């Protein structure tokens, strides 16, 4: 069915708004959840750690990851609401269950930086599943979404490691943490949002047509 001219203009406006807020909200979620809150929640109260974490450190790391997921889900869904009718907390239970599990799977098997990479891949897999029904080509969205988050996680981890060996390792504890997680989160978010935004634009254009 062809939309009236007014409807087409509205859809185009909604699509443009979604693409802008998709990028902005994801970057904000990563900055707030990982760059700002993660070093504070996971490391400030319980101190630095080696691979073996104490129970308080384990608890605070989980609190941090859960906090990040709540922020990410709310801001992501707010972006999608500019084009689709869905709840603000849609899919939150999946993120709260699978993302921390993926984070710790990466940490306790392959260790750093695979905790970061596994975390972003888990987010990508959930987004692939939840957003696919909203789009005309769900399979295409699914694999491109997962790949985008994988590349985002790799880029963020690589940037953080490079900065660590370039000089951050000699910085003070919290300065090092804030510096590394700022670089990791912003790099990852810019990478995967740039890639997923292109896919969303293509698919949303098809809906408008």
């Amino acid at each position: 069915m062809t939309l009236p001219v007014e409807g087409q203009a509205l859809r185009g406006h909604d699509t443009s708004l979604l693409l802008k807020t998709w990028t902005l909200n994801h970057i904000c979620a990563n900055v707030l959840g990982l760059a700002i809150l993660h070093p504070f929640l996971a490391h400030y109260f319980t101190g630095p750690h080696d691979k073996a974490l104490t129970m308080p450190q384990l608890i605070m790391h989980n609190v941090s990851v859960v906090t990040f997921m709540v922020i990410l889900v709310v801001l992501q869904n707010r972006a999608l609401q500019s084009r689709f009718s869905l709840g603000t907390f849609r899919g939150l239970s999946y993120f709260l269950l699978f993302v921390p599990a993926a984070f710790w799977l990466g940490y306790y098997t392959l260790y750093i930086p695979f905790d970061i990479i596994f975390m972003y891949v888990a987010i990508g897999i959930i987004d692939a599943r939840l957003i696919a029904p909203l789009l005309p080509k769900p399979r295409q969205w699914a694999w491109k979404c997962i790949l985008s988050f994988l590349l985002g996680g790799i880029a963020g981890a690589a940037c953080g490691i490079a900065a660590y060996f370039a000089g951050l390792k000699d910085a003070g504890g919290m300065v090092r943490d804030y510096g590394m997680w700022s670089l990791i989160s912003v790099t990852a978010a810019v990478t995967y949002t740039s890639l997923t935004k292109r896919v969303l634009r293509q698919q949303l254009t098809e809906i408008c047509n």
Side-chain angles (χ1 to χ4, degrees):
M1 179 177 67
T2 303
L3 289 170
V5 174
E6 296 83 357
Q8 291 178 342
L10 180 60
R11 287 293 185 91
H13 173 73
D14 291 347
T15 297
S16 177
L17 180 60
L18 188 156
L19 294 174
K20 290 178 182 178
T21 54
W22 174 266
T23 299
L24 178 62
N25 286 13
H26 269 277
I27 293 175
C28 287
N30 277 266
V31 169
L32 181 57
L34 291 181
I36 297 176
L37 291 179
H38 179 72
F40 181 71
L41 292 173
H43 299 146
Y44 178 77
F45 291 109
T46 57
H49 60 84
D50 294 321
K51 185 174 183 179
L53 278 70
T54 64
M55 184 56 65
Q57 288 171 337
L58 186 63
I59 291 172
M60 292 310 298
H61 274 74
N62 279 307
V63 168
S64 176
V65 175
V66 166
T67 301
F68 173 41
M69 286 303 96
V70 172
I71 296 170
L72 182 72
V73 168
V74 169
L75 291 182
Q76 174 176 280
N77 285 335
R78 290 298 298 270
L80 292 170
Q81 284 170 352
S82 63
R83 183 66 174 76
F84 303 102
S85 177
L86 47 84
T88 302
F89 296 98
R90 177 177 182 260
L92 179 60
S93 59
Y94 294 105
F95 288 91
L96 295 183
L97 177 62
F98 293 111
V99 175
F103 179 88
W104 292 117
L105 177 63
Y107 185 84
Y108 281 114
T109 55
L110 301 174
Y111 197 44
I112 297 170
F114 290 94
D115 50 352
I116 297 168
I117 296 172
F118 280 31
M119 177 182 69
Y120 279 108
V121 170
I123 296 171
I125 292 172
I126 298 169
D127 272 352
R129 175 66 181 86
L130 291 179
I131 300 176
L134 306 175
L135 303 173
K137 295 181 178 179
R139 290 185 179 180
Q140 183 183 92
W141 160 259
W143 74 262
K144 288 184 178 181
C145 178
I146 295 170
L147 179 60
S148 297
F149 276 87
L150 170 61
L151 293 176
I154 292 173
C159 187
I161 291 173
Y164 177 82
F165 287 107
L168 273 179
K169 66 179 179 180
D170 299 321
M174 292 304 294
V175 172
R176 181 180 62 244
D177 283 349
Y178 274 110
M180 286 190 61
W181 281 102
S182 295
L183 290 169
I184 290 168
S185 60
V186 172
T187 302
V190 169
T191 301
Y192 77 71
T193 53
S194 298
L195 296 171
T196 53
K197 182 180 177 180
R198 294 180 59 185
V199 184
L200 284 171
R201 180 184 291 113
Q202 293 170 354
Q203 300 231 9
L204 293 173
T205 300
E206 289 193 20
I207 295 177
C208 292
N209 294 333

